[in-house]
Structure formats: structure tokens, C-alpha cells
Amino acid sequence: KQEVTQIPAALSVPEGENLVLNCSFTDSAIYNLQWFRQDPGKGLTSLLLIQSSQREQTSGRLNASLDKSSGRSTLYIAASQPGDSATYLCAVSGGGNQFYFGTGTSLTVIP
Amino acid sequence: EAQVTQNPRYLITVTGKKLTVTCSQNMNHEYMSWYRQDPGLGLRQIYYSMNVEVTDKGDVPEGYKVSRKEKRNFPLILESPSPNQTSLYFCASSTIGGTSSSGANVLTFGAGSRLTVL
């Protein structure tokens, strides 16, 4: 069974810093990996999707990388802003189209 | 507006009283799925559907039923709710396939349904 781990569980940084969030998974047979943000009391919003054949995806200040062979993905956030404060979740989908989520990293960006 | 709509958003019920949480999407997505989110456990998939009349178990299907009679709707049914089903539930949908994948694509989530079973 696929297991997804996100480290650290919580992160606090001053505004303007660049930061990296980590996601690791145990089974490299995946269709894709997605990064989401979740604001308190709200649903999940998709940030980036990386197909299994891709190495990275970029959207604005966000860059996600995927190393399938080592079972790792990183989400890089450049020039962090207080509005980036949220919980960030990664999810992998594999055979049978099941999705497995990490428990998330809670990010606080201090003004 | 493209969206996934869940109802009810909040529900308090008692053990054994059957309930249904509805999920509807207006994006003509083939793939729909249900998750529960619990502190320390993250999101876990309950059931998913690749298309009408096609449903499969996720990681934690016990105590739940689903149906997919129409493409836009995917209700979650708790026939006899128990307190351990108290949780935050999310429905999500996506397209399937593409140039480099045969799987589900970007998931669009509903706002969530907070269920409390007493």
C-alpha cells in the first residue's frame, strides 16, 4: 500500500523567504503527483500536477519537482507572502486510480 | 462557475440514522471520489468512480456506500452511522486521461461536509 509522508509537519518563516516543502512516497508506480493548499475550514485547491513522465511543473512563484525513482517531490515557494499561509498537501495517484494523501505541512509566513 | 457542490455542509446525527451526503459537479468529469479527513491521518479515500455505474473501493470503504447513476452526481450513503464516522468529508472530481497519463487528472474539491455522529 502506498504511503505518503510530508516533512516538516509545520513550518514558520519570515515574509520574503524562499522555502521548500517535502513529500515522499513508497511506491514509485504512480500516474501523477499533485500539490494542494488547504485554508482553515475550506476545501482543497489544486496548485500543481506533475505527470509521472515529467520532472517538474511551474506556476508563478511555485515550482514542483518529481523524482519518481527516489519517491520524492518538493514544492518550492519563492518570495513567500503572508497569503501563502495554509496547509500544503501532496497526493499521489496510482494503479486503480486511488489517491493517497500526505498529512500536510502547515505553513505560516510571518509579516 | 465550474464547481463541486456538497450538501449538507454541516450535519449532526445520531447512531444508526441513515444519511446521505450529496455531491454534484457541473464540469462533465468522468472521475469522482469521496474522502474523509481526520486529524493526524490526513485525507483517506473512501470510494471512487471512473464513470456512470462504475465504482471502486478506496482505502476506507467500510460503513459507506456510493452510487453513480448519473455522471454529475455521486452521493455518499451511511446506512447506519457510528461515532467513528464523525469526520470532515470531501467530494472531488476530475477528467481522466491525456497525452501522458491514463489516470485521473487535476482534482477539483467541494467545500467539505462536517459530519458529527452522536
Side-chain angles (χ1 to χ4, degrees):
Chain A
K1 176 191 161 185
Q2 179 76 268
E3 291 187 9
V4 182
T5 304
Q6 291 186 248
I7 294 173
L11 183 63
S12 185
V13 301
E15 182 177 2
E17 266 204 12
N18 302 325
L19 60 101
V20 174
L21 306 180
N22 297 295
C23 173
S24 61
F25 48 95
T26 55
D27 185 349
S28 62
I30 63 171
Y31 281 146
N32 60 50
L33 183 145
Q34 302 187 44
W35 283 93
F36 299 87
R37 72 173 277 166
Q38 184 176 25
D39 295 282
K42 301 257 180 94
L44 281 73
T45 301
S46 178
L47 297 173
L48 289 164
L49 178 149
I50 310 177
Q51 300 289 1
S52 61
S53 58
Q54 298 175 322
R55 298 282 297 185
E56 66 177 338
Q57 281 286 339
T58 298
S59 176
R61 294 182 295 109
L62 305 180
N63 176 276
S65 68
L66 174 63
D67 184 342
K68 227 173 53 158
S69 61
S70 67
R72 291 182 183 177
S73 175
T74 61
L75 178 66
Y76 174 83
I77 302 177
S80 58
Q81 303 171 357
D84 295 331
S85 298
T87 296
Y88 290 80
L89 297 137
C90 69
V92 297
S93 72
N97 281 297
Q98 291 197 52
F99 279 84
Y100 296 91
F101 283 77
T103 51
T105 294
S106 177
L107 173 66
T108 302
V109 180
I110 304 164
Chain B
E1 180 189 353
Q3 60 185 358
V4 176
T5 303
Q6 297 179 223
N7 281 297
R9 293 288 315 281
Y10 302 91
L11 179 63
I12 300 174
T13 189
V14 296
T15 298
K17 186 176 181 182
K18 180 180 177 179
L19 68 92
T20 299
V21 186
T22 64
C23 173
S24 180
Q25 50 93 5
N26 62 1
M27 297 166 281
N28 201 36
H29 285 170
E30 298 91 351
Y31 185 90
M32 297 187 74
S33 54
W34 276 102
Y35 307 83
R36 59 178 290 174
Q37 186 174 34
D38 302 289
L41 296 176
L43 273 90
R44 293 177 292 168
Q45 192 168 32
I46 304 171
Y47 270 96
Y48 62 97
S49 169
M50 299 291 284
N51 215 323
V52 175
E53 302 293 359
V54 179
T55 61
D56 282 291
K57 296 178 181 179
D59 227 18
V60 288
E62 296 79 16
Y64 304 94
K65 285 175 57 176
V66 293
S67 68
R68 187 93 182 271
K69 293 184 170 55
E70 304 167 286
K71 196 172 185 179
R72 64 183 291 127
N73 296 323
F74 191 45
L76 180 69
I77 303 157
L78 286 73
E79 294 270 2
S80 183
S82 62
N84 65 12
Q85 293 178 297
T86 292
S87 187
L88 178 58
Y89 291 86
F90 287 102
C91 179
S93 70
S94 81
T95 56
I96 290 176
T99 55
S100 56
S101 168
S102 58
N105 295 314
V106 174
L107 288 170
T108 300
F109 277 81
S113 296
R114 186 167 292 282
L115 171 64
T116 302
V117 183
L118 302 175

